[in-house]
Amino acid sequence: MKAELVLMGKRVDMAPRASRRALVIFIYAGLAALMAALWFADRWHASGYYMIFASLFVNWLFLGGYAAGGLIKPFSGKGPRRVPQPPSPLALGLRLYNPLPEDRDYRNDERELRQRDRAHYLAYQALALCLVAVWMLTSLQRNVPRLLSFVPVSADQLLYALVLIAVVTSLTLPQAILLWTEPDMEESE
Amino acid sequence: MNTSPQKGPGESGLYNRIAVLRAERGISRQELADAMDVNYQTIGFLERGDYSPSLKLAFALADYFALPVEAIFSRRPFQPLSQQVYGAGRSISAQKIKNDMEEPQ
């Protein structure tokens, strides 16, 4: 896990657990607000895809795990593919080029692998809860649809929301659990 | 460098002397981590006893410090090294003097 985040050229210290927890709360509050806004925009007819893009963007910028950027090292332990040719002079001139860290900086050691597996186990439980809710909803819809008549949204929309939450959870929750649970990071000296 | 003696075995249930050995040899966490091919945070977790290493890592640490594994990790609290090196001899001498004094002339 990296100890700092670079946002708009500014370094943000993420070594304290409190900072990382604040970031996790901020991210999920943002995703929930986006989901609510997309509901009001078009009842998630086409805009539901934006939630997936937002999750991937959050991974790339903040969380990592499934992206080369972010705080958590790639779960695969592999860095991004290196481009053999040197960066263009334009990219260098505009300072758009950042040298990639060494491959070893992407590799997870044995403790990090253990923590990664534990985080996925915990995230799997949350995902299983979402799937149980999906199953219960479809079961009610098929067998006793009158029970769902009290819900202000249609069963299809509710189902879509649950599946969307499950997808966002599967993309972001393991990294969020790691950021939430890892203690304050110490100095290397 | 934090080398204070640990109060308990931490989450791992293992006591260890890594912090003492590291301080004794003037090695930083980063240097030890580089030698072991792990993250420096992992060295901190090991020192606090919050992580029990794999056999591979335990033996790598033993090789690095040129000590047997049981000199670095233990399920029971360690005696301070100074007491182990000097304390035993002193207590034997004290016992011998006491015995000599009690012996009838």
Side-chain angles (χ1 to χ4, degrees), chain A residues 1 3 73 104 107 109-112 114 182-189, chain B residues 28-30 34 37-42 44-45 48 51-54 57:
Chain A
M1 187 189 302
K73 290 179 191 176
R104 60 175 295 177
R107 205 165 51 234
D109 68 22
E110 57 177 56
R111 190 192 73 83
E112 289 167 324
R114 192 182 288 186
E182 285 285 279
D184 293 349
M185 296 172 80
E186 295 173 314
E187 298 290 321
S188 60
E189 294 307 311
Chain B
S28 72
R29 276 192 183 139
Q30 188 64 63
D34 289 343
D37 199 19
V38 295
N39 192 321
Y40 76 86
Q41 295 288 326
T42 299
F45 279 91
R48 288 191 302 276
Y51 172 65
S52 49
S54 65
L57 181 54

Side-chain angles (χ1 to χ4, degrees), chain B residues 9-49:
Chain B
E11 289 173 20
S12 69
L14 279 176
Y15 294 87
N16 72 81
R17 276 184 176 139
I18 297 171
V20 176
L21 292 169
R22 197 167 57 75
E24 197 180 75
R25 292 157 202 231
I27 305 163
S28 72
R29 276 192 183 139
Q30 188 64 63
E31 285 167 335
L32 183 57
D34 289 343
M36 297 295 110
D37 199 19
V38 295
N39 192 321
Y40 76 86
Q41 295 288 326
T42 299
I43 301 296
F45 279 91
L46 281 170
E47 287 179 356
R48 288 191 302 276

Side-chain angles (χ1 to χ4, degrees), chain A residues 32-92:
Chain A
L34 179 66
M35 198 163 167
L38 294 177
W39 164 257
F40 288 112
D42 73 342
R43 302 287 191 261
W44 299 321
H45 278 293
S47 62
Y49 295 103
Y50 294 130
M51 283 303 295
I52 312 297
F53 294 133
S55 303
L56 295 174
F57 178 72
V58 158
N59 276 350
W60 174 71
L61 195 60
F62 300 111
L63 295 177
Y66 295 112
L71 288 168
I72 307 287
K73 290 179 191 176
F75 289 136
S76 64
K78 292 176 186 164
R81 189 176 293 170
R82 288 167 192 275
V83 185
Q85 63 263 32
S88 69
L90 180 68
L92 284 173

Side-chain angles (χ1 to χ4, degrees), chain A residues 104-120:
Chain A
R104 60 175 295 177
D105 293 331
Y106 290 108
R107 205 165 51 234
N108 292 291
D109 68 22
E110 57 177 56
R111 190 192 73 83
E112 289 167 324
L113 287 175
R114 192 182 288 186
Q115 293 301 97
R116 178 198 69 176
D117 295 348
R118 186 178 154 274
H120 277 82

